[in-house]
């Protein structure tokens, strides 16, 4: 499989695209005005302890107070994590009331595990973790964990032995060995252990000197994170359209991953790099609700506050044998497309997939297996459940930042994000009701109705008889004025 990383750098925005076999799979965006805070460590102050929620709100200097749950304050042993998972909160057998753990006004060192999303503040943890190329340092834990994606038992034992050698338990620190560490020489892991030791020593100095609300550790910028987290042996090239950034990435790679530094190259072509690879067109398509399938079927993806739903339709695909075979083929293709769209659109939380109903149990198993296989390359942790009695597939995908749609779009000013607006006919009848209400409430000789051109055109054309009857009924003169600044649902009734 051919895989490339494309890095597009502009003064205010940096974008990193993961392209596999010519197809865009992931897009990461970082803007100067809206840089994410996941991974940052802050010296915060507890604003308010909420015993009923077993949580507290913490001021860390951001626009909104951040949220800290009791399960993220004290933890037992971490779960065996997947790629990028430092630890997972484990509820203790005897849950200590949060009021015994925190008090209002207390200073606390916390790390952001989820960016502010929508109206919600950032999510915090006190279990700090600092990632490097191959390892994740857990300064407050003595546990050594190996990524679940490293399946070879001999390799797992080798890596665990190396960590025990380079970072003995007497240091009082734990480590998670990341997937990228598989097959790496001992020297590479030793360098990472030393690097993380230096970083943590600096963080401790910053914590001692920092004021409340200060950031004491900030994660790397997007291009450096991409090199650290996304470059694997099967990545052929990293193409960067900024000479300065490409040189900085090569220096970073030469220091921390010497064997991969030669894969980074500067793209100096006249044509924009995202245009050359068709990435810009893919981004535009990723904002559409409908996703066409090669067979003629299509997906409909709806993102709501509570969950994301994916509906699979056969569309124009008629098949060649029978209905069950047609449905099966469409669902197989849809399973592959869904996995790609989840990565590309960065959809997280609860996801419900409504595949076309299949009678054959083996077909359902194959579709589910295809979905799980395609999700295996996803960097975010996913959990897929079997078909429900209603024929739905429920799954979850770890969400730490906003989806692509919410990063690039905002709710429609005309419909308020509903995706629908009242018809001109509906607004017309609302106007008539408001006119009657205004005349009964206030004394006026004449009335002026200001509305959108489409509504006024309907009133003065199709509803002209109704207007005449209304004027006669009220004994008032009504004039209508079109204003292009008014949205279709907006209107004003002015008394003259």
């Amino acid at each position: 499989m051919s895989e490339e990383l494309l890095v597009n750098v502009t003064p205010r925005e940096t974008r990193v695209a993961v392209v596999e076999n010519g197809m865009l799979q992931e897009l990461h965006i970082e803007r100067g005005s809206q840089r994410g805070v996941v991974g940052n460590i802050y010296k915060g102050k507890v604003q308010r302890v909420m015993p009923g929620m077993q949580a507290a709100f913490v001021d860390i200097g951001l626009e909104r107070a951040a949220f800290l749950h009791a399960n993220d304050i004290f933890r037992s042993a971490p779960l065996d994590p997947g790629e990028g998972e430092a630890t997972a909160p484990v509820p203790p057998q005897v849950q200590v009331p949060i009021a015994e753990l925190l008090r209002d006004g207390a200073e606390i060192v916390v790390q952001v595990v989820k960016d502010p999303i929508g109206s919600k503040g950032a999510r915090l943890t006190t279990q700090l973790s600092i990632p490097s190329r191959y390892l994740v340092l857990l300064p407050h834990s003595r546990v050594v964990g190996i990524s679940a994606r490293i399946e070879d038992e001999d390799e797992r034992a080798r890596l665990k032995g190396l960590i025990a050698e380079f970072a003995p338990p007497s240091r009082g620190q734990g480590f998670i060995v990341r997937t990228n560490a598989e097959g790496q020489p001992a020297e590479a892991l030793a360098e990472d252990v030393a690097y993380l030791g230096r970083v943590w020593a600096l963080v401790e100095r910053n914590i001692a000197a920092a004021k409340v609300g200060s950031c004491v550790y900030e994660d790397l910028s997007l291009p450096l994170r991409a090199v650290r987290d996304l470059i694997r042996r099967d990545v052929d090239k990293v193409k960067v359209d900024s000479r300065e950034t490409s040189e900085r990435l090569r220096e970073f790679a030469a220091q921390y991953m010497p064997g991969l530094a030669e894969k980074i190259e500067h793209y100096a072509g006249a044509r924009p790099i995202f245009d050359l690879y068709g990435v810009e067109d893919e981004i535009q398509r990723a904002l559409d609700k409908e996703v066409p399938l090669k067979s003629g079927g299509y997906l409909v993806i709806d993102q709501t506050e509570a969950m994301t739903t994916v509906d699979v339709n056969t569309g124009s695909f008629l098949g060649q044998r029978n209905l069950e075979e047609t449905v099966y083929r469409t669902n197989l293709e849809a399973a592959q497309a869904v996995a790609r769209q989840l990565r590309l659109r960065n959809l997280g939380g609860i996801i419900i997939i409504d595949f076309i109903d299949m009678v054959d149990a083996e077909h359902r198993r194959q579709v589910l297996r295809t979905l799980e296989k395609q999700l295996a390359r996803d960097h975010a942790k996913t959990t897929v459940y079997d078909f429900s009695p209603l024929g739905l597939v429920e799954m979850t995908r770890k969400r730490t930042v906003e989806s692509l749609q919410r990063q690039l779009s905002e709710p429609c000013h005309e419909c308020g994000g509903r995706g629908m607006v009242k018809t001109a006919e509906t607004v017309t009848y609302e106007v008539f009701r408001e006119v009657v209400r205004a005349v009964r409430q206030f004394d006026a000789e004449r009335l002026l109705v200001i509305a959108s051109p489409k509504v006024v055109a309907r009133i003065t054309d199709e509803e002209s008889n109704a207007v005449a009857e209304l004027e006669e009924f009220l004994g008032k003169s009504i004039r209508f004025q079109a204003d292009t600044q008014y949205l279709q649902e907006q209107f004003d009734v002015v008394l003259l």
Side-chain angles (χ1 to χ4, degrees):
M1 176 177 287
S2 171
E3 183 173 335
E4 292 180 291
L5 299 185
L6 311 179
V7 183
N8 168 234
V9 181
T10 59
R12 298 292 182 185
E13 181 184 60
T14 300
R15 299 181 297 174
V16 175
V18 179
V19 178
E20 295 176 2
N21 296 330
M23 293 281 287
L24 177 64
Q25 300 293 332
E26 294 180 28
L27 181 69
H28 304 270
I29 301 174
E30 184 174 87
R31 291 172 173 168
S33 60
Q34 300 173 341
R35 185 171 177 183
V37 293
V38 169
N40 292 0
I41 299 175
Y42 292 86
K43 189 173 186 179
K45 182 178 181 180
V46 178
Q47 277 189 340
R48 188 180 180 189
V49 176
M50 310 286 288
M53 298 173 61
Q54 273 291 86
F57 289 103
V58 182
D59 178 15
I60 57 173
L62 301 182
E63 183 178 346
R64 289 190 297 270
F67 182 83
L68 176 63
H69 194 271
N71 286 348
D72 295 321
I73 297 175
F74 61 127
R75 300 182 176 195
S76 59
L79 299 175
D80 190 10
E83 172 64 31
E85 289 289 303
T87 59
V90 180
Q93 292 180 349
V94 180
Q95 195 173 56
V96 180
I98 193 167
E100 297 182 16
L101 300 171
L102 296 175
R103 57 179 175 80
D104 292 354
E107 293 185 5
I108 186 172
V109 177
V110 292
Q111 186 168 31
V112 178
V113 294
K114 183 181 290 188
D115 272 326
I117 296 177
S119 60
K120 300 175 183 176
R123 181 75 181 258
L124 305 176
T125 180
T126 60
Q127 178 71 16
L128 308 184
S129 62
I130 300 177
S132 66
R133 171 61 179 166
Y134 304 117
L135 305 173
V136 177
L137 170 66
L138 308 176
H140 297 155
S141 171
R142 295 188 178 186
V143 174
V144 175
I146 312 293
S147 168
R149 295 189 178 182
I150 301 177
E151 298 178 354
D152 184 88
E153 290 300 328
D154 292 338
E155 177 65 4
R156 294 174 68 86
R158 182 187 77 91
L159 292 170
K160 199 161 189 175
L162 289 174
I163 297 302
E165 178 184 346
F166 300 139
S170 58
R171 288 180 51 169
Q173 295 177 337
F175 288 88
I176 294 297
V177 180
R178 307 180 68 177
T179 305
N180 286 340
E182 186 172 11
Q184 295 299 323
E187 296 78 14
L189 270 65
E191 290 173 0
D192 263 24
V193 170
Y195 164 75
L196 290 171
R198 293 193 297 270
V199 172
W200 177 242
L202 177 61
V203 171
E204 286 187 306
R205 290 197 296 271
N206 290 343
I207 291 172
K211 298 179 180 179
V212 170
S214 301
C215 179
V216 296
Y217 168 80
E218 187 173 13
D219 203 2
L220 300 173
S221 63
L222 176 59
L224 295 176
R225 291 202 310 273
V227 169
R228 182 191 71 193
D229 298 338
L230 300 179
I231 288 190
R232 298 182 296 271
R233 293 188 189 86
D234 53 356
V235 172
D236 300 320
K237 291 289 182 183
V238 179
K239 296 184 178 180
V240 189
D241 63 4
S242 163
R243 187 176 300 278
E244 179 184 351
T245 303
S246 65
E247 290 175 357
R248 189 162 72 247
L249 293 183
R250 273 196 291 265
E251 291 172 1
F252 178 83
Q255 182 176 2
Y256 297 110
M257 52 199 82
L260 301 175
E262 68 275 5
K263 294 188 176 185
I264 301 171
E265 63 181 44
H266 173 234
Y267 171 78
R271 189 177 178 188
I273 189 170
F274 274 24
D275 287 352
L276 181 66
Y277 282 79
V279 172
E280 295 290 7
D281 292 338
E282 287 289 341
I283 294 173
Q284 295 305 314
R285 285 193 284 270
L287 299 177
D288 294 337
K289 284 179 61 173
E290 288 195 8
V291 179
L293 303 177
K294 291 181 179 179
S295 65
Y298 61 94
L299 311 177
V300 179
I301 300 176
D302 276 307
Q303 186 181 352
T304 69
E305 195 69 25
M307 67 182 70
T308 297
T309 62
V310 183
D311 186 33
V312 182
N313 298 279
T314 56
S316 60
F317 182 46
L318 303 177
Q320 297 178 346
R321 296 185 182 180
N322 53 52
L323 178 60
E324 177 68 16
E325 189 68 19
T326 300
V327 167
Y328 175 53
R329 295 298 175 189
T330 303
N331 282 340
L332 280 179
E333 185 183 0
Q336 299 179 52
V338 167
R340 173 176 177 257
Q341 291 298 323
L342 296 183
R343 287 178 66 188
L344 175 56
R345 298 171 186 240
N346 197 21
L347 297 170
I350 300 172
I351 299 161
I352 306 294
I353 308 170
D354 185 8
F355 287 106
I356 307 168
D357 291 340
M358 292 174 287
V359 177
D360 192 324
E362 179 59 26
H363 285 175
R364 290 197 294 271
R365 281 194 294 272
Q366 290 296 336
V367 168
L368 203 62
R369 192 174 296 119
T370 299
L371 177 63
E372 292 170 339
K373 181 180 178 182
Q374 295 298 318
L375 288 170
R377 293 183 62 83
D378 197 336
H379 297 288
K381 182 181 180 182
T382 58
T383 304
V384 181
Y385 299 93
D386 203 351
F387 279 87
S388 74
L390 294 177
L392 305 174
V393 171
E394 301 171 14
M395 64 169 289
T396 61
R397 184 174 185 271
K398 186 176 176 63
R399 173 170 56 191
T400 56
V401 297
E402 290 275 24
S403 68
L404 183 64
Q405 182 188 62
R406 290 181 177 169
Q407 288 184 68
L408 302 182
S409 309
E410 63 182 14
C412 168
H413 297 298
E414 186 152 347
C415 71
R418 300 196 311 270
M420 303 284 285
V421 295
K422 294 176 183 176
T423 64
E425 183 180 19
T426 299
V427 178
T428 295
Y429 300 144
E430 288 183 354
V431 168
F432 290 165
R433 287 193 294 271
E434 185 61 29
V435 166
V436 173
R437 187 181 298 114
V439 168
R440 289 177 176 173
Q441 189 172 359
F442 303 101
D443 186 27
E445 291 298 320
R446 293 174 292 117
L447 295 94
L448 171 65
V449 175
I450 307 173
S452 69
K454 187 173 180 181
V455 171
V456 170
R458 178 182 175 83
I459 291 175
T460 55
D461 184 10
E462 299 177 43
E463 303 291 345
S464 57
N465 291 337
V467 173
E469 293 172 1
L470 185 61
E471 287 179 325
E472 183 179 354
F473 172 73
L474 297 174
K476 309 289 183 181
S477 172
I478 307 173
R479 187 161 60 89
F480 297 91
Q481 177 180 318
D483 191 326
T484 56
Q485 298 300 313
Y486 277 61
L487 303 178
Q488 185 159 305
E489 296 185 357
Q490 292 179 320
F491 64 87
D492 283 310
V493 177
V494 183
L495 304 176
L496 302 175

